[in-house]
């Protein structure tokens, strides 16, 4: 859809941050959901996808002992 956009956007912030390939794949998939909602001209879906991505990424990057426990 938008080749390389998610990677080039994230690369500077990921420098020095090591995450398993599965987490990077998940992050890129979340970016694609945002782009798909934008392409579909669906601002509500885009907003929901961005919010979900930000919150989920924050949880993934936090140290294990500081993650939210339900």
């Amino acid at each position: 859809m938008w080749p390389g956009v998610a990677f080039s956007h994230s690369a500077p912030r990921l420098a020095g941050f090591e995450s398993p390939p599965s987490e990077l794949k998940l992050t890129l998939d979340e970016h694609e959901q945002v782009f798909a909602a934008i392409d579909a001209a669906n601002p509500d879906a885009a907003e929901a996808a961005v919010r979900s991505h930000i919150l989920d990424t924050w949880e993934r990057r936090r140290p294990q002992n500081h993650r939210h426990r339900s």
Side-chain angles (χ1 to χ4, degrees):
M1 185 180 314
W2 297 11
V5 173
F7 177 75
S8 64
H9 171 72
S10 299
R13 284 184 303 213
L14 294 175
F17 173 74
E18 294 188 31
S19 64
S22 60
E23 285 188 17
L24 182 56
K25 168 87 169 87
L26 183 57
T27 296
L28 294 176
D29 289 346
E30 291 168 349
H31 287 189
E32 286 297 328
Q33 291 173 8
V34 173
F35 298 144
I38 292 169
D39 280 344
N42 187 337
D44 294 333
E47 180 181 3
V50 167
R51 287 182 186 278
S52 177
H53 166 61
I54 291 169
L55 294 173
D56 292 348
T57 301
W58 174 245
E59 281 298 313
R60 286 194 298 271
R61 293 184 72 173
R62 293 176 71 187
Q64 187 68 32
N65 60 341
H66 292 289
R67 292 184 180 180
H68 177 69
R69 295 185 181 108
S70 319

